[in-house]
């Protein structure tokens, strides 16, 4: 015999799902076509540096900034 706490209940939603789930994010407005300049300025994933380089650059930059802040506040005495 199971206790009432151990029993699970199944909830089913009776509300129909809307196919347009982005209408609340971007309300209907004037949609302008992309110009050639705008289309050329879009970066794709292939145009970005590889992931390892981006992570390494972020870490090196963070260490440099934190070192400068630590020297400024006297945490590190060079």
């Amino acid at each position: 015999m199971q206790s009432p706490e151990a029993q699970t209940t199944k909830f089913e939603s009776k509300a129909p799902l809307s196919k347009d789930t982005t209408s609340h994010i971007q309300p209907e407005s004037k949609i302008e076509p992309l110009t050639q300049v705008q289309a050329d300025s879009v970066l794709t994933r292939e145009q970005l540096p590889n992931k390892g380089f981006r992570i390494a650059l972020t870490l090196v930059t963070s260490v440099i900034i934190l070192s400068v802040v630590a020297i400024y506040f006297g945490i590190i005495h060079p």
Side-chain angles (χ1 to χ4, degrees), residues 22-42:
T22 60
S23 63
H24 66 282
I25 296 171
Q26 191 175 34
E28 291 193 28
S29 62
K30 284 181 156 182
I31 298 176
E32 298 177 7
L34 286 176
T35 64
Q36 187 63 39
V37 173
Q38 289 171 332
D40 289 343
S41 66
V42 174

Side-chain angles (χ1 to χ4, degrees), residues 6-71:
Q7 295 177 355
T8 59
T9 58
K10 184 177 179 183
F11 293 102
E12 291 186 21
S13 175
K14 301 291 182 187
L17 295 175
S18 172
K19 290 185 179 185
D20 182 18
T21 58
T22 60
S23 63
H24 66 282
I25 296 171
Q26 191 175 34
E28 291 193 28
S29 62
K30 284 181 156 182
I31 298 176
E32 298 177 7
L34 286 176
T35 64
Q36 187 63 39
V37 173
Q38 289 171 332
D40 289 343
S41 66
V42 174
L43 289 176
T44 61
R45 187 173 295 276
E46 290 82 22
Q47 294 171 326
L48 293 173
N50 67 14
K51 192 174 185 179
F53 178 74
R54 288 185 286 160
I55 291 172
L57 184 64
T58 303
L59 288 174
V60 168
T61 305
S62 299
V63 167
I64 290 171
I65 291 172
L66 288 174
S67 298
V68 170
V69 169
I71 290 170

